[in-house]
């Protein structure tokens, strides 16, 4: 295994940098591109039962330290997804993100998509879709039920993606762990709003959206730190990772792998290679032989 | 974030096509686009025709609302975004179809002095749909076609381009997709850049809705080197 390679939830990744759900990951060509550009794995855009168009524009607001988005879970539905991936073979781990309104819907999707997915990530955390995501995932008992239902429906590893929009994220993490989740990922975006001072109204057509990017990094890092201290299962760190230093911070805080999203928009695809090279240099300079050695060092 | 600009001038360019000049000038490369928001209505991408000019065809509720704007009304603009044209060639050809003129207009008006000559091959469905703005003042030669022969020659501009392609160091194209495909074919995907179109939402490489194969039109494009599109268009 190379310096950067990791084994997580039974899957080998060339490196710990995974494309986060919802960024440039609508179609197979984009997943393949992400891998070509240096991502160790890919999480797809969240897939639901029925096709959804998503919200009308504006769906994004650019801020000095990140983005607020409310895309509205646009996706082709599970049938459209299966048609879309037919004939493709992927030489990297493909994590399929799914969302549902009930444990049964999540389980149904996991069953239908098990052939295609190397693992599932459960979207229990999108902050701007009525009846989905965070509206379910803010309650530990719901997280427990959804994870359990999905675990019963598939043999593939299951990652619960948690919301930071709660008093204590470890409650959600513990609920996922007790229900048999193979890992948790955190954080999804922070619920947020932007108002245009001249239009005197919220910019997003959905009014509220999710804040991501460098501005959320300290909050995300704290969430990962708390989860890693509390849970036995691995934590995948997400939230504003833009530089190799950010990535190393998350690893030291106990993240076994990382997801990168907004930085792909801010810095371009090259961000995967930049961060990977930075981590590798750091390991060498600091006398570590593998990225696995530094996971959680700041927890002690 | 948006820059709030005022409409300073509007005029009709062709049937259902209007030009909007606004109060601020944006630094841009020909081929780049801006996102234009009308609060309460929506937000759409438009190619910049000049630093302060967009040219719009009325096609739906958003453009309908835009057409009702008068001088002094506000527009919210973010950008410019995307990958524009790269300046190449001494004798160049512009190949345009229908409402595809704005990015070519940007080339002709902002890069005129860098070229030895500019030949424009342009096609529209009929005389009343000719959307040249006033580009004829900035090119050395205009080869005009209409599908129905109501103005210029009857036929397609790509036919004329095919006969003369050896004259040009670079061809810059924008227009309906069948025309772009024809231009790429005529040029064998070489010495040609095209401005592509896909359904665009965020404009900044997040939502992925404007994918063209593995590329995103909003980030990798809208302008692509012909060779990049081999097998795609």
């Amino acid at each position: 295994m190379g310096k950067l390679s990791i084994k997580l939830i039974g899957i080998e990744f060339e490196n710990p940098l995974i494309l986060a759900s919802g960024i440039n990951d609508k179609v197979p060509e984009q997943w393949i591109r992400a891998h070509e550009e240096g991502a160790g794995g890919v999480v797809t855009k969240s897939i639901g039962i029925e096709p959804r168009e998503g919200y009308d524009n504006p769906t994004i607001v650019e801020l000095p330290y990140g983005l607020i988005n409310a895309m509205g879970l646009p996706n082709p539905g599970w049938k459209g997804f299966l048609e879309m991936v037919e004939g493709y073979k992927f030489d990297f781990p493909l994590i399929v993100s799914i969302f549902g309104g009930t444990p049964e819907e999540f389980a149904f999707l996991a069953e239908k998509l098990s052939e295609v997915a190397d693992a599932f990530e459960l979207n229990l955390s999108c902050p701007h879709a009525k009846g989905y995501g965070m509206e379910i995932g803010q309650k530990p008992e719901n997280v427990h039920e959804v994870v359990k239902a999905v675990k019963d429906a598939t043999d593939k590893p299951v990652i619960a993606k948690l919301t930071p929009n709660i008093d204590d994220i470890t409650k959600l993490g513990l609920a996922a762990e007790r229900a048999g989740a193979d890992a948790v990922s955190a954080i999804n975006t922070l619920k947020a709003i932007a108002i245009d001072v001249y239009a005197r109204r919220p910019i997003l057509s959905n009014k509220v959206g999710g804040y991501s990017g460098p501005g959320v990094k300290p909050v995300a890092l704290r969430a990962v730190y708390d989860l890693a201290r509390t849970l036995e299962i691995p934590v995948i760190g997400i939230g504003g990772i833009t530089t190799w230093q950010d990535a190393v911070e998350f690893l030291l805080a106990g993240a076994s792998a990382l997801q990168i999203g907004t930085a792909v928009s801010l810095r371009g695809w090259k961000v995967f290679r930049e961060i990977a090279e930075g981590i590798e240099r750091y390991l060498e300079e600091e006398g570590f032989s593998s990225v696995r050695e530094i996971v959680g060092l700041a927890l002690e | 974030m948006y820059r709030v600009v005022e409409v300073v001038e509007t005029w009709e360019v062709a049937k259902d096509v209007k030009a909007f000049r606004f109060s601020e000038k944006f630094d841009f490369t020909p081929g780049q686009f801006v996102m234009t928001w009308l609060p309460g209505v929506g937000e759409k991408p438009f190619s910049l025709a000049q630093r302060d000019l967009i040219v719009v065809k009325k096609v739906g509720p958003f453009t309908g609302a835009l057409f009702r704007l008068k001088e002094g009304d506000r527009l919210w603009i973010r950008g410019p975004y995307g990958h524009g044209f790269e300046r190449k060639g001494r004798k160049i050809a512009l190949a345009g179809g229908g409402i595809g003129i704005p990015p070519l207009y940007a080339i002709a008006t902002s890069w005129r002095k860098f070229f030895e000559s500019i030949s424009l091959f342009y096609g529209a469905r009929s005389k009343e749909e000719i959307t040249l703005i006033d580009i004829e003042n900035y090119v050395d030669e205009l080869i005009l076609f209409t599908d129905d022969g109501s103005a210029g020659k009857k036929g397609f501009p790509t036919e004329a381009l095919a006969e003369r392609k050896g004259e040009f160091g670079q061809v810059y194209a924008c227009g309906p997709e069948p025309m772009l495909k024809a231009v790429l074919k005529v040029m064998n995907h070489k010495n040609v850049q095209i401005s592509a179109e896909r359904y665009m939402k965020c404009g900044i490489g997040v939502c992925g809705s404007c994918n063209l194969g593995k590329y995103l039109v909003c980030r990798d494009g809208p302008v692509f080197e012909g060779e990049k599109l081999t097998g795609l268009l």
Side-chain angles (χ1 to χ4, degrees):
Chain A
M1 281 173 95
K3 265 189 181 174
L4 289 188
S5 64
I6 56 161
K7 194 167 180 190
L8 184 73
I9 55 175
I11 301 169
E12 285 190 23
F13 294 78
E14 291 165 31
N15 68 62
L17 311 176
I18 300 166
L19 178 67
S21 181
I23 304 282
N24 249 342
D25 52 4
K26 190 183 73 168
V27 298
E29 288 90 341
Q30 289 165 308
W31 312 335
I32 294 165
R33 170 106 185 250
H35 179 244
E36 281 171 11
E37 302 274 1
V42 169
V43 188
T44 69
K45 220 165 165 60
S46 293
I47 303 302
I49 304 277
E50 296 292 334
R52 277 170 68 108
E53 286 284 327
Y55 301 135
D56 289 335
N57 265 3
T59 47
I60 202 134
V61 182
E62 292 172 87
L63 297 175
Y65 299 102
L67 306 170
I68 305 179
N69 89 81
M71 297 300 170
L73 296 171
N75 83 98
W78 69 272
K79 277 186 198 156
F81 183 82
L82 284 179
E83 282 164 25
M84 182 173 81
V85 299
E86 208 185 310
Y88 282 94
K89 281 264 179 285
F90 306 104
D91 54 353
F92 52 86
L94 183 71
I95 301 167
V96 177
S97 171
I98 54 175
F99 73 93
T102 61
E104 293 73 30
E105 284 187 5
F106 274 98
F108 176 85
L109 290 166
E111 197 191 319
K112 293 293 180 194
L113 303 179
S114 272
E115 293 271 300
V116 183
D118 293 310
F120 288 103
E121 184 177 80
L122 312 181
N123 183 343
L124 294 160
S125 41
C126 169
H128 51 71
K130 207 167 167 34
Y132 296 110
M134 182 184 97
E135 289 197 7
I136 293 168
Q138 277 175 324
K139 292 207 174 76
E141 57 272 29
N142 290 350
V143 169
H144 187 277
E145 270 189 59
V146 169
V147 170
K148 197 163 181 324
V150 173
K151 282 300 289 181
D152 288 344
T154 179
D155 295 331
K156 296 290 169 73
V158 174
I159 305 160
K161 185 169 180 180
L162 307 177
T163 177
N165 301 299
I166 181 176
D167 58 345
D168 179 1
I169 197 167
T170 63
K171 289 181 196 164
L172 303 176
L174 284 167
E177 182 171 271
R178 285 174 190 146
D182 298 275
V184 296
S185 54
I187 58 173
N188 204 315
T189 53
L190 291 163
K191 194 170 183 177
I193 196 166
I195 291 170
D196 186 89
V197 299
Y198 296 104
R200 292 181 272 281
R201 61 191 297 155
I203 294 171
L204 296 168
S205 72
N206 187 57
K207 299 185 176 68
V208 297
Y211 185 33
S212 65
V216 311
K217 194 208 85 183
V219 178
L221 187 65
R222 194 272 305 156
V224 166
Y225 181 82
D226 283 351
L227 285 166
R229 277 201 310 182
T230 311
L231 304 185
E232 302 289 325
I233 55 176
V235 179
I236 300 169
I238 320 170
I241 299 169
T242 310
T243 65
W244 69 262
Q245 290 95 333
D246 295 335
V248 170
E249 269 191 272
F250 273 84
L251 293 163
L252 295 172
S256 303
L258 310 169
Q259 290 183 19
I260 297 173
T262 302
V264 178
S265 166
L266 301 180
R267 315 258 312 116
W269 285 116
K270 66 178 188 295
V271 76
F272 283 103
R273 292 233 156 77
E274 281 176 4
I275 293 178
E277 284 163 16
I279 298 174
E280 224 168 343
R281 215 165 38 238
Y282 172 84
L283 294 174
E284 210 154 286
E285 285 171 7
E286 298 299 312
F288 296 103
S289 57
S290 131
V291 71
R292 302 177 293 281
E293 288 174 21
I294 67 166
V295 171
L297 287 185
L299 294 172
E300 288 156 15
Chain B
M1 290 297 269
Y2 295 105
R3 274 160 76 178
V4 185
V5 304
E6 278 182 16
V7 175
V8 295
E9 194 187 0
T10 73
W11 68 96
E12 209 172 304
V13 172
K15 184 184 167 229
D16 287 334
V17 181
K18 246 173 152 174
F20 297 82
R21 198 177 291 283
F22 29 80
S23 55
E24 280 198 55
K25 288 182 159 63
F26 291 79
D27 286 325
F28 83 116
T29 304
Q32 284 191 300
F33 65 95
V34 291
M35 298 298 295
T36 303
W37 180 40
L38 290 176
V41 183
E43 188 200 42
K44 298 277 177 201
F46 296 101
S47 184
L48 281 170
Q50 280 186 313
R51 294 177 67 189
D52 55 357
L53 185 71
I54 56 173
V55 179
V56 179
K57 185 179 170 94
K58 188 159 80 175
V59 291
F62 180 90
T63 47
L66 198 60
F67 267 50
R68 288 191 290 276
L69 294 185
K70 298 179 297 294
E71 285 170 25
D73 286 343
R74 282 170 165 175
L75 270 177
W76 280 253
I77 291 179
R78 59 185 177 99
Y81 296 121
H83 174 76
F85 289 105
E86 280 171 43
R87 205 166 61 215
K88 288 180 180 176
R90 294 282 300 146
K91 291 182 76 167
I92 65 150
L94 307 177
I99 182 65
I101 278 289
L104 305 180
Y105 188 80
I107 291 176
T109 57
S110 33
W111 286 350
R112 179 69 198 90
K113 61 173 184 275
F114 297 103
F115 300 123
E116 196 182 310
S117 70
I118 304 179
S119 300
L120 171 63
F121 297 80
Y122 177 78
R125 243 179 266 164
S126 65
K127 189 178 177 181
E128 61 176 3
E129 292 192 24
I130 293 173
T131 310
L132 289 169
I133 318 174
D134 60 348
I135 196 172
E136 58 274 21
N137 299 328
Y138 302 92
V139 298
D140 300 281
E141 181 187 23
L142 169 62
I143 304 99
L144 179 68
F145 288 85
T146 49
D147 296 5
D148 63 2
S150 53
K153 286 184 206 159
K154 188 176 154 100
F156 299 101
T158 40
E159 296 161 9
L161 179 66
E163 287 165 22
R164 294 181 49 194
K165 64 176 185 177
E167 295 174 32
F168 307 110
Q170 189 79 187
V171 176
Y172 303 79
C174 183
E177 196 145 311
M179 187 206 105
L180 295 178
K181 283 184 176 164
V183 171
L184 289 170
K185 200 172 167 198
V186 162
M187 298 305 294
N188 210 6
H189 286 80
K190 290 191 178 68
N191 301 321
V192 58
Q193 299 173 54
I194 67 122
S195 176
E197 200 172 317
R198 283 290 179 276
Y199 182 63
M200 202 186 277
K201 286 198 87 171
C202 75
I204 56 169
V206 176
C207 72
S209 84
C210 62
N211 81 288
L212 173 57
K214 68 175 185 175
Y215 301 116
L216 287 186
V217 169
C218 74
R219 283 298 290 266
D220 301 300
V223 175
F224 293 92
E225 294 271 349
E227 279 167 334
K228 260 188 156 178
L229 297 178
T230 309
L232 281 175
L233 276 188

